[in-house]
Amino acid sequence: MGRALVIGCGGTLGFAWSAAVLAELERQGWEPRTPDVLIGTSAGAELVALLGSGVAGSAIHDGGDRLVAAHLSSPRAPGALPGPPRPTWPGLGLTRAALTGRADLLAGLAGLLPRGGGDAQWLVDLGDALADPATGWSRHPQTWLVAADTRTGQRVPLGHPGAPKADLGQAIAASWAIPGWFPPVRIGGRALLDGGAVSPTSADLLLPQVHDGRIDEVVVVAPMSSPGAAPARGPARVERLLRRPMSRRVDREVAALRAAGARVARIEPTLADLDAMGANFMDGARVEQVRATAARTTPDLVAQHLRDQITSPEVPR
């Protein structure tokens, strides 16, 4: 039997919060670098690329790794607002997929956003620095970075045997290509956008491995979903409108994994974490506030989920 780690999308602040969770998982004995499968979407793709290349969760969280510290302080990293968009709409295939029932409404709305004008070179540089020189990919062979095909709305788990071959830097940039913020990345003749436009976690991509017995334990780190209601005031109410359908998608994916027999620990931000994040998940000015709050919330949060959903013999199989 095996383990898998899934880290969802979440932008700049979701990265910071997820890194705190990874450090706490490591501290509590669940090593995030060694699961049999690593799946990451958007900021989660950035994180699993680091883990799969051997960087410890604690070093990502505290910046103790030189490469991580330089990456996080890069002047090319995105700001709180996107740059001027381009007058083209590369994601309309996502909208068509939603209208025909092949994707969720949220994907359809994402497809209506114009071509982003951002520069993802800082992500390409990270992947190039992390990649195994012999393969151009992560040293962990089962590292999957999820993007979405702009023409069909289909999810593309780069690194999976059935996906087009990509260099690690290209793959991180494709998975991070937030509609309206960054342009699509072409890989294998396909234009790819952020996989989070279709699913915040893509945890259900593990179902074949669960069904055939290769994976029986899954930790899902989902910064863009919340258990139950997540009340808010002011501008944060807009963020909650986005969070609700994402949470429902994660609900379905986790339920499917559990129905197939997997034990699933689903770790999501507390209300205190959400208050620290505020309305804009790309607002780098809040990173230290998010980190400080997560230092208080993650020890109990991680301990509860590992105890109740991974180690407890009462979890239905």
Side-chain angles (χ1 to χ4, degrees):
M1 297 295 189
R3 301 182 307 152
L5 173 65
V6 179
I7 309 178
C9 61
T12 300
L13 300 183
F15 180 102
W17 175 82
S18 297
V21 172
L22 295 177
E24 191 59 36
L25 284 167
E26 180 185 298
R27 192 184 72 80
Q28 296 192 25
W30 202 96
E31 172 54 66
R33 290 176 291 182
T34 59
D36 298 273
V37 180
L38 299 169
I39 298 180
T41 301
S42 200
E46 192 180 357
L47 286 162
V48 300
L50 288 161
L51 294 170
S53 297
V55 182
S58 54
I60 301 172
H61 174 53
D62 64 19
D65 181 274
R66 287 185 181 180
L67 175 61
V68 175
H71 172 66
L72 295 180
S73 62
S74 171
R76 292 183 170 182
L81 296 173
R86 310 292 172 80
T88 60
W89 283 262
L92 289 179
L94 297 176
T95 304
R96 287 192 292 271
L99 290 173
T100 57
R102 292 179 288 113
D104 292 346
L105 175 62
L106 201 59
L109 294 175
L112 296 175
L113 294 171
R115 181 185 182 89
D119 180 3
Q121 188 61 45
W122 103 105
L123 294 170
V124 176
D125 291 344
L126 174 67
D128 289 348
L130 292 173
D132 184 335
T135 65
W137 195 249
S138 169
R139 290 171 174 81
H140 187 308
Q142 295 297 312
T143 301
W144 304 348
L145 311 186
V146 184
D149 188 309
T150 60
R151 184 176 59 86
T152 65
Q154 177 186 10
R155 288 173 292 168
V156 181
L158 297 162
H160 187 279
K165 182 173 175 55
D167 291 336
L168 187 59
Q170 288 180 304
I172 300 172
S175 186
W176 234 105
I178 303 170
W181 209 296
F182 294 102
V185 175
R186 293 199 70 84
I187 295 177
R190 304 169 78 173
L192 304 177
L193 283 169
D194 187 341
V198 177
S199 167
T201 61
S202 285
D204 57 329
L205 294 180
L206 288 167
L207 282 170
Q209 285 75 19
V210 174
H211 283 301
D212 67 17
R214 283 178 286 168
I215 296 294
D216 71 335
E217 179 177 305
V218 183
V219 169
V220 178
V221 180
M224 289 301 293
S225 72
S226 300
R233 293 180 295 178
R237 287 182 293 182
V238 177
E239 189 268 355
R240 297 302 190 271
L241 291 175
L242 177 65
R243 184 171 291 273
R244 286 176 194 140
M246 287 189 162
S247 300
R248 290 194 292 270
R249 175 70 188 234
V250 178
D251 290 344
R252 296 195 298 271
E253 293 181 1
V254 169
L257 289 171
R258 288 175 174 158
R263 294 170 293 162
V264 183
R266 174 179 174 176
I267 303 175
E268 298 159 306
T270 67
L271 289 178
D273 293 311
L274 294 179
D275 286 344
M277 291 180 189
N280 181 358
F281 57 81
M282 296 294 287
D283 185 1
R286 286 180 170 260
V287 165
E288 291 308 316
Q289 184 178 351
V290 169
R291 285 165 52 89
T293 303
R296 298 193 301 272
T297 61
T298 55
D300 288 344
L301 185 66
V302 169
Q304 174 191 339
H305 287 288
L306 290 183
R307 180 186 67 243
D308 294 348
Q309 296 164 326
I310 292 294
T311 62
S312 171
E314 301 302 320
V315 175
R317 299 296 307 279

